[in-house]
Amino acid sequence: MEALHPLKALLQFQLATDASSVLHLPYLLSSLTQDSLLPSSHLTKWTTRINSLLHSKDAGARWAGLCIAHKTSILSRPTMIECAHSWLGVALPLLSKNEPSPTIKASIRLLRTIFSAGIGTPEYQRQVATPNIPKFTAAIIAIAEKNGDEEIRVLILTTLARLVPLYPTLYRSSHAALSTLVLRFLNGSAPNPTSDSLLKPASRLYTVLHFTGGKVGAASLWRKSVDETLLFGWNAFLALRSTFLNEGLAFHVGSGIECPHTCAAANVPNSPSIDEALIGVPLHLDKLRTTTHRPVQLPLGPLIKFIGALLSCTKDDKGREHMDPTVHTMELSLIPELWKFGCDLTSYLARCAGHHLTPHLTRLISYLTYHLEQKPTPSQRLFILTAIRTLLTHCHLLDSPLVPTRLVKAVLPSLSVVLAAPSDPQASDDTTASQKSKKGKKRARGYEGDEVFKLSKEVICPGFDEGRVLFVSLEVMRLTLRNPNLSPAMQSISARVLLSMLLALPQISPAYLSAEPKLHSDLLRLVQSINTELGSGTSSVMSKSLGLVVRATVAEEANEVTYGQDITRDLEILLHPRVPPLVRSLPHVESLSLFRAEESQEERDVREELGLRGAFPEQSKPVEEDIIMEDSAAPPGTQQVDNIQPVSVTKPSLPPRLSSSTVASTSIKPQPASLIVTTPGAIEPPRPKPSEPERIPKPVPPQPVATSAQDAEDDEEMPAINMDSDSDEE
């Protein structure tokens, strides 16, 4: 039995009636393919059925016919060109009638596809697009002004932003109406702000209005629009800093504009309201993303000053003497948002200007590094690090002896979370419990092996932002380590941290690292690539890192483009030793202090400042002090030590060949008991007195000392011992 043609099956079952067409529309749209719309005897019946649905009196059937026609236009361009005139005659009048919202949206989508798909066919443009685009534009502008449905407005703004660059001459007469429509949404609304879903399409449409000037006038319109938008942003910024002293913000945007304090809001076609003062920033981003037919002059200086004003805002800025505390508190809460907008504008400007931004690189990196040093939240740290990565990627090397070292010192704490010992949280919990238990009646007891029964563990990266911060921090470290101005101490500390991460990550479970399973493999691959790059200073040094290169070569993700290029470079250095050394100056493997005993004092200070420690606690070295010589020698077999408890002085044991009758009673000056420790050993003759003057020992409280009868006699000289005598001398 011959299989039914897809269109024939749909016509017989799903499109049999108007009601079934509406009911089975989702299945019908999902089953349509390009192969089913190839020329055949059923294609004519298909287009005829669509026309019957479009002319139906039922609103649902008309909506279904518009949706099917839109899907057919996307899958088959020849069919769309053939039927565009008839479909256009039905869909365009529906925009001026009181139709339901789904019908209006379906008509706009169909007409946008018909107008945009005709590019490249001059006859089609002359017959279909040229006479109907002005009518279509006037109809949808009227709908956007009257209809309050947000989805319809977003669709209209998106449609206009797509069609204006395609037909700039047809929209030249509508430039004023389009500007009025866009600025209506960009001026803000009170008391509720404009939603982001409506703000972004309006900003995109505003950025393409300069195309209406043609190839000659588009560049001047773009520059004029950028200057007005920059002034727009300054007014917005000052509206949010009304309780602060905004001194030293003089700038030059264009001719006749020098300072935001002196320019009135009337100089701009539409100045932002206080309720919606942050709208100017998306305008800057879209203006930098747009294209022009001819080269334009980018106002880099004024843009840098505006970015500097956004990034230099802090909560410690001096406020005015007389201000409203409530307004001041609200403006303080907006400072992180100003940082975010400044970072976004910096990223887009770096992509747009490239190496032309290098003279301002030190200043921008200093701003961003300062905010990293203030310990921001993970979300704030993420957009700050993203801006730094974009700057280091698109600009030349940072020419400063201090800023790279400061930047690395601010980024390393974000990486040290991976190196935290697993027992650290447990130790801290035990310490906290012991501190709390002192106030209670009973003290909690910690038993060995309790961690086995703990079912929950703290994840290193509990959220998405924490994982992205870790990943972007590694990329920033890779770019910063290529800078020759980085201090040797920070180079060594960074290499040790990265090598420790390479050793620690395989031992960490992906679930313990983050809830995102792919993050562990991505981090391990990136850390492995960075360590391979660190070990590839020259061919001789890289030969000692052969294990890293081999591991990177056989990795599962080695077939990717970026990492494949790195592996090719590493293998080239290994196979061809005559390749000249790389431009960057990295330390050799021999100069990396991988052990604490080899690190310099500067490295030790930096490591302690960053809170980095090894897996084993540091052993405190004994303090060597000068021995104070006393007038009388210590008893035989004793030594002086510090910081021990008082002990009793016992009588030293005599050699076996000496009898108790031979030894006379001896006496010595009592020494402080806290400085004497008896040790068994042979009796040595008393040493001669030193020639230096006698020092009086510090008085100590009397200690109970166990003495014998012979030690009770003081100031008695020891008699001479006759070794030949058999009896004791009386």
Side-chain angles (χ1 to χ4, degrees):
M1 181 178 179
E2 185 180 357
L4 291 177
H5 193 275
L7 294 183
K8 183 178 180 180
L10 293 175
L11 289 171
Q12 290 181 355
F13 298 102
Q14 279 75 23
L15 297 179
T17 62
D18 293 349
S20 62
S21 301
V22 178
L23 181 62
H24 300 288
L25 183 63
Y27 170 77
L28 190 147
L29 295 178
S30 61
S31 59
L32 277 179
T33 60
Q34 293 182 354
D35 296 336
S36 61
L37 294 175
L38 293 176
S40 64
S41 60
H42 303 284
L43 186 59
T44 305
K45 300 177 182 179
W46 177 262
T47 56
T48 304
R49 181 56 179 152
I50 292 177
N51 291 328
S52 65
L53 290 174
L54 292 176
H55 290 85
S56 176
K57 295 182 180 180
D58 185 18
R62 291 196 299 270
W63 169 71
L66 292 171
C67 294
I68 297 173
H70 177 253
K71 185 70 173 181
T72 304
S73 302
I74 295 176
L75 297 177
S76 177
R77 188 171 182 268
T79 306
M80 185 269 298
I81 293 177
E82 181 181 355
C83 303
H85 195 275
S86 60
W87 293 348
L88 187 64
V90 178
L92 188 58
L94 291 177
L95 299 178
S96 59
K97 298 179 181 180
N98 189 14
E99 293 287 339
S101 297
T103 304
I104 294 176
K105 290 188 286 188
S107 300
I108 294 175
R109 291 191 183 98
L110 175 59
L111 293 175
R112 181 182 63 182
T113 305
I114 290 175
F115 292 142
S116 60
I119 299 299
T121 309
E123 187 65 21
Y124 176 85
Q125 295 182 16
R126 186 182 65 83
Q127 294 182 2
V128 177
T130 302
N132 293 300
I133 280 183
K135 301 177 184 179
F136 174 69
T137 303
I140 60 178
I141 288 178
I143 294 175
E145 292 176 350
K146 297 178 182 179
N147 199 322
D149 191 352
E150 184 176 337
E151 293 184 1
I152 293 180
R153 288 181 171 180
V154 170
L155 179 60
I156 290 173
L157 294 174
T158 306
T159 301
L160 291 173
R162 182 177 179 180
L163 294 179
V164 168
L166 299 178
Y167 302 96
T169 56
L170 297 178
Y171 280 97
R172 181 175 300 176
S173 59
S174 305
H175 182 272
L178 293 175
S179 300
T180 304
L181 175 65
V182 170
L183 294 176
R184 176 184 176 183
F185 300 111
L186 295 180
N187 282 339
S189 60
N192 297 324
T194 306
S195 62
D196 292 338
S197 59
L198 189 60
L199 178 63
K200 294 179 179 179
S203 179
R204 294 192 188 100
L205 177 57
Y206 182 74
T207 59
V208 298
L209 291 182
H210 66 275
F211 284 102
T212 58
K215 294 183 179 180
V216 178
S220 59
L221 286 178
W222 181 86
R223 178 57 190 269
K224 180 182 177 182
S225 178
V226 169
D227 293 342
E228 292 177 353
T229 306
L230 188 56
L231 181 58
F232 192 94
W234 272 113
N235 290 333
F237 173 75
L238 294 177
L240 296 175
R241 304 284 292 177
S242 59
T243 60
F244 294 90
L245 297 177
N246 299 314
E247 298 178 356
L249 293 180
F251 68 105
H252 296 270
V253 178
S255 58
I257 302 176
E258 292 186 356
C259 182
H261 303 283
T262 59
C263 62
N267 294 337
V268 190
N270 288 278
S271 58
S273 61
I274 298 179
D275 301 313
E276 193 70 16
L278 295 177
I279 287 182
V281 178
L283 297 180
H284 284 300
L285 303 183
D286 287 326
K287 278 296 179 184
L288 295 176
R289 280 197 295 255
T290 190
T291 57
T292 57
H293 295 288
R294 295 187 178 184
V296 294
Q297 185 178 3
L298 182 66
L300 195 59
L303 287 173
I304 290 296
K305 290 183 179 180
F306 182 67
I307 293 174
L310 291 174
L311 295 179
S312 60
C313 298
T314 60
K315 297 182 179 180
D316 299 331
D317 292 343
K318 187 177 181 181
R320 299 181 183 274
E321 296 181 359
H322 305 285
M323 61 181 179
D324 189 354
T326 305
V327 176
H328 185 68
T329 304
M330 296 175 65
E331 291 182 354
L332 284 176
S333 64
L334 285 176
I335 289 180
E337 294 295 327
L338 297 178
W339 297 344
K340 184 178 184 301
F341 289 137
C343 291
D344 294 341
L345 188 55
T346 302
S347 300
Y348 284 107
L349 187 61
R351 296 189 185 99
C352 177
H355 64 275
H356 297 289
L357 201 62
T358 303
H360 309 280
L361 184 61
T362 302
R363 179 183 176 187
L364 295 176
I365 294 294
S366 299
Y367 285 142
L368 299 173
T369 304
Y370 171 78
H371 293 307
L372 281 180
E373 294 172 346
Q374 306 307 312
K375 298 180 179 180
T377 60
S379 59
Q380 298 172 5
R381 184 178 289 269
L382 177 58
F383 62 72
I384 292 173
L385 288 171
T386 304
I388 294 176
R389 178 188 61 181
T390 308
L391 286 172
L392 297 178
T393 303
H394 294 85
C395 300
H396 293 305
L397 291 177
L398 189 61
D399 187 15
S400 174
L402 300 177
V403 176
T405 302
R406 184 181 172 190
L407 176 60
V408 172
K409 190 179 297 185
V411 174
L412 278 178
S414 301
L415 303 178
S416 60
V417 294
V418 181
L419 304 179
S423 59
D424 289 347
Q426 179 184 358
S428 60
D429 295 342
D430 296 343
T431 305
T432 306
S434 62
Q435 292 177 354
K436 294 181 179 179
S437 62
K438 293 181 180 179
K439 300 180 181 180
K441 296 181 180 180
K442 295 183 179 180
R443 184 172 182 178
R445 295 181 179 180
Y447 296 95
E448 184 178 359
D450 282 350
E451 65 276 2
V452 178
F453 301 98
K454 291 185 178 181
L455 301 180
S456 61
K457 292 183 179 181
E458 294 183 1
V459 182
I460 297 177
C461 301
F464 174 78
D465 291 339
E466 288 81 357
R468 290 299 304 169
V469 164
L470 195 58
F471 191 84
V472 178
S473 299
L474 285 172
E475 294 181 341
V476 172
M477 288 295 298
R478 176 204 287 266
L479 297 171
T480 311
L481 287 173
R482 297 173 182 174
N483 196 311
N485 296 319
L486 188 63
S487 65
M490 291 308 303
Q491 281 186 344
S492 180
I493 286 290
S494 303
R496 293 165 62 185
V497 170
L498 293 171
L499 184 58
S500 301
M501 291 183 64
L502 181 62
L503 300 176
L505 277 175
Q507 302 176 5
I508 298 177
S509 172
Y512 178 66
L513 179 65
S514 174
E516 185 180 0
K518 191 179 179 182
L519 179 63
H520 186 275
S521 60
D522 293 343
L523 284 179
L524 182 59
R525 184 176 65 249
L526 182 57
V527 172
Q528 185 172 325
S529 174
I530 296 175
N531 281 276
T532 306
E533 183 177 349
L534 286 176
S536 60
T538 58
S539 58
S540 59
V541 176
M542 192 175 180
S543 61
K544 303 178 182 179
S545 306
L546 185 60
L548 281 175
V549 180
V550 173
R551 191 188 307 175
T553 306
V554 300
E556 296 180 357
E557 294 83 4
N559 54 355
E560 296 187 4
V561 178
T562 55
Y563 297 98
Q565 294 177 354
D566 296 339
I567 294 172
T568 304
R569 180 203 60 195
D570 298 339
L571 292 178
E572 183 71 18
I573 296 177
L574 283 173
L575 298 176
H576 301 83
R578 292 186 179 182
V579 173
L582 301 179
V583 178
R584 65 185 184 277
S585 59
L586 293 176
H588 297 278
V589 175
E590 295 84 354
S591 63
L592 297 178
S593 55
L594 301 179
F595 300 95
R596 192 183 304 118
E598 301 175 0
E599 66 181 359
S600 61
Q601 184 62 33
E602 183 180 1
E603 274 188 79
R604 181 186 181 91
D605 296 340
V606 172
R607 180 175 57 80
E608 293 178 353
E609 183 179 354
L610 295 174
L612 300 174
R613 62 180 182 84
F616 302 99
E618 300 183 13
Q619 301 291 338
S620 58
K621 297 181 180 180
V623 181
E624 299 180 359
E625 297 182 355
D626 296 337
I627 300 176
I628 301 177
M629 304 299 295
E630 302 293 344
D631 291 342
S632 60
T638 64
Q639 58 180 0
Q640 297 184 356
V641 295
D642 297 333
N643 301 328
I644 58 174
Q645 297 298 329
V647 296
S648 300
V649 179
T650 59
K651 185 177 181 181
S653 59
L654 299 178
R657 60 189 181 91
L658 295 181
S659 60
S660 60
S661 60
T662 310
V663 182
S665 62
T666 61
S667 63
I668 59 173
K669 294 183 179 181
Q671 298 292 335
S674 61
L675 300 178
I676 301 176
V677 177
T678 60
T679 55
I683 300 178
E684 297 180 0
R687 299 180 179 179
K689 297 181 179 181
S691 59
E692 60 184 34
E694 180 179 351
R695 296 184 181 180
I696 301 176
K698 297 180 180 180
V700 295
Q703 301 290 341
V705 180
T707 59
S708 60
Q710 295 180 354
D711 295 335
E713 300 178 2
D714 297 338
D715 299 335
E716 182 177 352
E717 296 181 359
M718 180 182 295
I721 300 177
N722 188 4
M723 302 300 297
D724 298 333
S725 177
D726 295 334
S727 60
D728 295 338
E729 184 178 356
E730 296 297 336

